[in-house]
Amino acid sequence: MQTQLADFIRDTAAGREADEILRKCVHCGFCTATCPTYQLLGDELDGPRGRIYLIKQMLEGGEAGEETRLHLDRCLTCRSCETTCPSGVEYSRLVDIGRELIERRVPRRGGERMLRWVLRELVPRRTVFSAALGAGRAVRPLLPATLRDKVPPLRSPGVWPRNAHAHARRMFVLAGCVQPAMAPSINAAAARVLDRAGVALSEAPRAGCCGAVRFHLNDPEGARDDARRNIDAWWPAIEAGEVEALVMTASGCGVQVRDYPYLLAADSRYAARANRVAELTRDISEVVAAEASRLTPLLASARVAGRPLPFERVAFHAPCTLQHGLRIRGVVEGLLGDAGFVLQAVRDAHLCCGSAGTYSLLQPELAQRLRDNKLSALQAHEAQCIATANIGCLTHLAGGTDTPVRHWVELLDACLHSPGTDR
């Protein structure tokens, strides 16, 4: 694609990156076939190719208004188009540049601006979010259906291993911002599974939100601050060689943390540390798969002993951040199959469920349509449970079905442990 960037951005880092990305696009349109919003709306401007033209127009000094912003807002940043693109167009980078530019040119006003500010300030602050969620649970029956779906019932925090300190191998797991309040049992389950593999998993006290919430709400500086705080929390143990990996039980956090080198590239103090952190970052599925030689015999022994599975037929929803962001495909399904679960086929498994961080709050109509389509696909073969790998997807899907929705590592943990035990 030929470009003639305007003077205001041509010689900037963002302009050079955008120009390189735009020149890779060959207008083939393969991306539209896998774009969730294009599939729903059938509008070229609500697909990657159309949005690329809108961003190109802005970068070349053309007109841009609220309609341009609307089409960019509707993008889920699911990266399905990147998986499909034969030319390797880094669409997600380009749309980040476009969104930052449109925010400056067409400022938001009124309730829309206030809602985004509230989300930026509320969600990443774990203590504040936990208090707000507790209040929401107290009045949940009185809430409108659209909000009630976003307030999950209280879940057990789970039991962390008591003897983890005895293991020589140690890893950190990110607690994140919303997961400790919504589903604290996930990290406990991950710790219990890795405990059986001889790995101690713990949360660094000062680590918090990965930065994805603020970044995708057009607050890149706030996202950088979140990244620096996490790096500071992890760095002493990394520098001392005390941890061998940084484990992410939410695939959305995994994508963001692996992007720290991109986010902090211009920060001379943190750039090298960000690279090291990204190198150490692992999705929990990668860690469990690497420990399969230790865990597979334990799972086999549990089956021989007659320990029942919590569910037999399971449908796995692969979050976009797992399959398109981290490019991890088939690993979780293999682990669940090895544990004895019967995996159900899921049509259009590449399409987004509509959660996409705060998207389900900012674009509720589109998010609900995407969720309904996804649940129809997941439940087509009467699965007894839906498994997933990201807290946002888990909560979003659970709000639309009575079928249990669990993190896949919780199912694996149930195969290895009797309820209420740590061994």
Side-chain angles (χ1 to χ4, degrees):
M1 180 181 289
Q2 285 190 322
T3 60
Q4 294 180 335
L5 301 192
D7 291 342
F8 77 92
I9 200 166
R10 181 184 298 120
D11 295 323
T12 66
R16 288 189 290 271
E17 182 179 16
D19 188 58
E20 183 179 347
I21 295 170
L22 286 168
R23 289 178 181 276
K24 289 181 180 179
C25 180
V26 296
H27 323 271
C28 68
F30 286 4
C31 54
T32 60
T34 58
C35 174
T37 50
Y38 180 80
Q39 297 303 308
L40 284 183
L41 303 173
D43 186 336
E44 177 76 9
L45 296 180
D46 284 313
R49 185 169 59 179
R51 293 184 181 112
I52 286 173
Y53 276 111
L54 290 174
I55 295 168
K56 178 177 182 289
Q57 179 177 303
M58 279 197 297
L59 294 170
E60 293 181 335
E63 292 296 320
E66 292 189 359
E67 184 177 354
T68 300
R69 191 179 65 198
L70 173 64
H71 292 300
L72 296 186
D73 282 349
R74 284 177 176 167
C75 175
L76 294 135
T77 324
C78 68
R79 303 194 187 187
S80 181
C81 57
E82 293 185 5
T83 297
T84 309
C85 180
S87 302
V89 174
E90 293 178 295
Y91 168 82
S92 60
R93 301 291 195 212
L94 185 64
V95 83
D96 288 339
I97 294 169
R99 283 170 167 166
E100 191 169 351
L101 180 58
I102 194 67
E103 288 293 319
R104 294 200 300 267
R105 293 181 62 173
V106 189
R108 299 178 193 272
R109 295 179 174 83
E112 184 181 13
R113 181 177 180 178
M114 178 59 68
L115 175 58
R116 286 173 172 262
W117 180 86
V118 169
L119 291 173
R120 282 199 304 267
E121 297 304 313
L122 169 66
V123 175
R125 303 178 191 275
R126 188 190 313 173
T127 304
V128 177
F129 179 81
S130 296
L133 183 61
R137 283 171 173 151
V139 297
R140 190 174 185 271
L142 305 177
L143 295 174
T146 52
L147 282 180
R148 194 183 313 129
D149 289 349
K150 308 301 178 190
V151 181
L154 186 65
R155 292 180 63 178
S156 166
V159 180
W160 283 70
R162 297 190 184 96
N163 67 335
H165 63 276
H167 299 310
R169 299 176 62 197
R170 182 183 174 204
M171 299 180 184
F172 277 150
V173 61
L174 181 64
C177 50
V178 302
Q179 189 167 290
M182 287 186 158
S185 56
I186 293 174
N187 275 3
R192 286 153 57 84
V193 169
L194 292 187
D195 175 58
R196 299 303 298 270
V199 177
L201 199 63
S202 62
E203 297 173 352
R206 292 184 295 114
C209 179
C210 65
V213 172
R214 289 192 172 101
F215 187 77
H216 292 295
L217 286 171
N218 305 110
D219 180 15
E221 282 307 313
R224 291 186 184 98
D225 287 341
D226 287 336
R228 294 184 186 105
R229 183 206 56 240
N230 285 341
I231 292 172
D232 287 341
W234 295 326
W235 194 252
I238 292 173
E239 194 171 36
E242 296 173 355
V243 292
E244 60 183 81
L246 303 170
V247 181
M248 305 292 144
T249 54
S251 56
C253 295
V255 170
Q256 183 70 12
V257 176
R258 282 194 178 167
D259 274 352
Y260 280 3
Y262 171 80
L263 198 63
L264 298 172
D267 188 324
S268 59
R269 182 182 173 192
Y270 281 89
R273 295 184 180 188
N275 283 325
R276 182 59 179 151
V277 162
E279 289 171 358
L280 290 174
T281 297
R282 302 284 186 275
D283 183 75
I284 181 62
S285 64
E286 296 176 293
V287 179
V288 172
E291 302 300 325
S293 62
R294 294 171 179 260
L295 294 172
T296 300
L298 298 175
L299 291 167
S301 297
R303 289 198 298 273
V304 170
R307 181 172 295 161
L309 295 173
F311 308 96
E312 182 180 353
R313 300 187 307 278
V314 174
F316 179 65
H317 164 61
C320 300
T321 45
L322 186 73
Q323 59 173 319
H324 304 307
L326 296 173
R327 304 292 177 99
I328 297 173
R329 304 184 185 96
V331 176
V332 174
E333 296 92 325
L335 292 169
L336 291 176
D338 289 345
F341 296 98
V342 178
L343 274 294
Q344 306 296 292
V346 180
R347 70 174 183 274
D348 294 330
H350 62 284
L351 292 179
C352 184
C353 70
S355 172
T358 57
Y359 187 94
S360 60
L361 295 170
L362 298 172
Q363 302 287 336
E365 182 181 348
L366 288 177
Q368 184 168 340
R369 290 172 65 183
L370 289 166
R371 183 181 69 180
D372 291 345
N373 291 345
K374 179 60 67 174
L375 286 172
S376 175
L378 289 164
Q379 297 172 315
H381 300 290
E382 299 183 348
Q384 296 170 314
C385 175
I386 296 169
T388 189
N390 190 59
I391 183 61
C393 302
L394 189 156
T395 306
H396 185 56
L397 292 171
T401 181
D402 292 329
T403 301
V405 185
R406 299 287 185 269
H407 194 291
W408 68 267
V409 82
E410 295 180 285
L411 301 186
L412 206 63
D413 173 54
C415 297
L416 293 168
H417 297 91
S418 300
T421 69
D422 70 337
R423 291 296 299 174

